[in-house]
Amino acid sequence: MSLESEVDLPGEAALPGVLSEELHAELVLFRRDLHMHPELGNQEFRTTAAIKERLERAGLKPRVLAVGTGLVCDIGEWDGGRPMLALRADIDGLPIPDMKTECSYRSTVPDRAHACGHDVHTAVVLGAGLVLAELDKKGLLPRPVRLIFQPAEEVLPGGAADAIDGGVLEGVGKMLAVHCDPRVDAGKIGLRNGAITSACDRLEISLDGPGGHTARPHLTTDLVTAAARVITDVPAIVGRRVDTRAGLAVTWGRIESGHAPNVIPQHAELSGTVRCLDIDAWRQAPDIVVAAIDEVANLHGAKSEINYVRGVPPVVNDADVTELMREAMAVRRGDDSVESTEQSLGGEDFSWYLQRIPGAMARLGVRTPGERTVRDLHQGDFDADESAITVGVELFTAAALLDAV
């Protein structure tokens, strides 16, 4: 069905799909329920059941993914013609404690929290699905839209790979997603053409050698010194073996060795991340990083065992899909509701979808306007201005309608 009569008019009233106050209130409660019951990657059984029940109550037919958690649900029936638009949410939480002491919906699960905003992402895609389903019943949805509720985004290499293997991209031509950004005010989104996130891999190293007494380091392999040199020298070496504009960086998060001040240990362990802004450099990163570690370890007589865990490539936003999101947001809330955003060094497995089809991720503002405190992602006090749920829903519904014209 043509939407010409709607899209020729400027402003919010031009398109259907505006969220009602009643549905916004329901989605806030839904998000808070998820926030109180966070589940880790591939364990999101309660979350999956809650999403499934609400979609079925709307007359839809969600399908649980083959891995046992996560869902895919189509709004309308695809006839094999023009490929569908997909909307993706991630549904897992983080293994950190919720530190919000004065919050009625803080996590009830010890050492678990929705500290990355996946509960908000889920509420946004659920809400968009419910609104689009109503438009479909009225004959106002020109072509089908697919909802993807993906598990295990926080588990490298990401649940997106399993979802793709399960066929979620069959019939899909492009994909949209949002990610909470506590640096952007609620009511706005941040957009960027090209890479918007970094590649991210995990690095685990074991160093071994004969230990000894600290009085006689010349008779030992001094593993503490060897580990220290790996920590300081490897990032510097790596930074000189690729174009510096690629931003290839090794950063350490853990080091463990020894038990006594006068004993040179026989074993040391290090772990950290490898991040990269450029996808071509990311493809070379394992060889470059492993070679640098071996060189430094050998120089100090240490035997190295390296576990290089491939993570995710950068999320590279397609220019046309990014423009679609810009237009959708401008229709809903005006041109000033869209701001440019920088490339982040954070990793996101949404990138795996964009290796197959064009798509784009927007940064969804969740900071209450005027608030000076930034509750950063992956911190126990993270929370979101829940008006962002309405913004995300209306962004997605507008994009679905504009894309179909």
Side-chain angles (χ1 to χ4, degrees):
M1 177 177 180
S2 172
L3 289 174
E4 184 176 354
S5 60
E6 288 93 348
V7 298
D8 284 347
L9 300 174
E12 180 176 302
L15 287 178
V18 176
L19 194 64
S20 68
E21 291 185 6
E22 180 181 6
L23 184 52
H24 169 75
E26 179 189 348
L27 293 173
V28 167
L29 292 177
F30 190 92
R31 178 256 168 170
R32 292 184 177 187
D33 179 70
L34 297 187
H35 200 86
M36 293 173 67
H37 302 93
E39 298 173 298
L40 299 185
N42 295 317
Q43 301 174 24
E44 311 95 332
F45 297 104
R46 183 186 185 278
T47 302
T48 297
I51 300 167
K52 184 173 184 288
E53 187 278 332
R54 185 60 184 92
L55 292 171
E56 289 177 337
R57 191 149 38 96
L60 299 170
K61 298 178 180 179
R63 307 183 302 279
V64 176
L65 299 179
V67 293
T69 60
L71 308 101
V72 60
C73 181
D74 291 348
I75 314 296
E77 295 185 10
W78 185 56
D79 60 5
R82 185 181 177 192
M84 290 180 283
L85 175 72
L87 309 176
R88 175 267 199 174
D90 37 13
I91 65 175
D92 54 324
L94 285 164
I96 63 175
D98 191 332
M99 304 299 291
K100 297 188 297 295
T101 56
E102 298 181 4
C103 179
S104 62
Y105 51 87
R106 68 187 299 241
S107 173
T108 62
V109 184
D111 299 320
R112 302 287 185 270
H114 267 297
C116 197
H118 294 188
D119 52 341
V120 175
H121 307 166
T122 301
V124 165
V125 173
L126 174 64
L130 297 176
V131 171
L132 292 173
E134 287 301 310
L135 294 179
D136 187 45
K137 292 176 183 178
K138 298 174 183 178
L140 294 176
L141 186 64
R143 64 190 180 103
V145 173
R146 175 165 292 169
L147 314 179
I148 298 171
F149 297 92
Q150 178 214 300
E153 189 276 330
E154 298 286 354
V155 181
L156 289 180
D162 289 331
I164 292 169
D165 289 344
V168 299
L169 293 184
E170 294 176 9
V172 173
K174 63 184 69 168
M175 182 179 287
L176 307 180
V178 294
H179 197 296
C180 289
D181 191 334
R183 301 165 301 172
V184 177
D185 283 349
K188 296 185 176 183
I189 63 169
L191 286 175
R192 177 185 176 89
N193 285 332
I196 192 172
T197 69
S198 165
C200 180
D201 299 336
R202 189 171 72 243
L203 191 58
E204 299 168 347
I205 305 169
S206 293
L207 299 177
D208 291 283
H213 200 289
T214 56
R216 294 176 291 277
H218 60 291
L219 301 179
T220 73
T221 295
D222 188 349
L223 281 185
V224 173
T225 297
R229 299 307 303 189
V230 168
I231 287 172
T232 57
D233 291 353
V234 167
I237 294 171
V238 166
R240 290 296 179 268
R241 293 187 176 172
V242 294
D243 189 324
T244 54
R245 291 172 295 183
L248 182 60
V250 178
T251 306
W252 306 105
R254 184 181 74 93
I255 176 172
E256 183 175 344
S257 185
H259 301 283
N262 62 342
V263 178
I264 294 175
Q266 297 177 323
H267 182 74
E269 294 182 357
L270 302 84
S271 58
T273 59
V274 179
R275 298 181 187 271
C276 187
L277 302 177
D278 177 76
I279 194 165
D280 291 328
W282 174 73
R283 294 189 178 108
Q284 304 171 44
D287 291 339
I288 294 171
V289 173
V290 169
I293 294 167
D294 283 338
E295 287 177 23
V296 176
N298 289 337
L299 182 63
H300 292 274
K303 179 183 177 183
S304 59
E305 290 188 8
I306 304 165
N307 182 25
Y308 193 108
V309 182
R310 229 14 174 163
V312 295
V315 172
V316 181
N317 282 350
D318 177 82
D320 291 339
V321 183
T322 302
E323 183 59 27
L324 170 64
M325 297 183 83
R326 186 184 305 278
E327 291 175 1
M329 192 68 178
V331 165
R332 292 297 193 202
R333 295 180 179 259
D335 292 334
D336 291 343
S337 65
V338 181
E339 60 182 52
S340 297
T341 190
E342 62 186 11
Q343 184 177 6
S344 164
L345 279 169
E348 235 290 350
D349 77 347
F350 185 65
S351 55
W352 289 123
Y353 301 110
L354 304 195
Q355 296 291 300
R356 307 289 189 94
I357 59 171
M361 171 175 280
R363 299 228 166 93
L364 179 67
V366 296
R367 179 179 63 192
T368 300
E371 184 177 2
R372 294 186 177 182
T373 301
V374 176
R375 294 181 173 85
D376 206 0
L377 300 172
H378 287 218
Q379 299 298 311
D381 65 346
F382 173 78
D383 205 354
D385 186 318
E386 291 169 322
S387 66
I389 296 173
T390 291
V391 176
V393 170
E394 295 184 358
L395 166 68
F396 280 163
T397 57
L401 297 172
L402 290 173
D403 183 55
V405 175

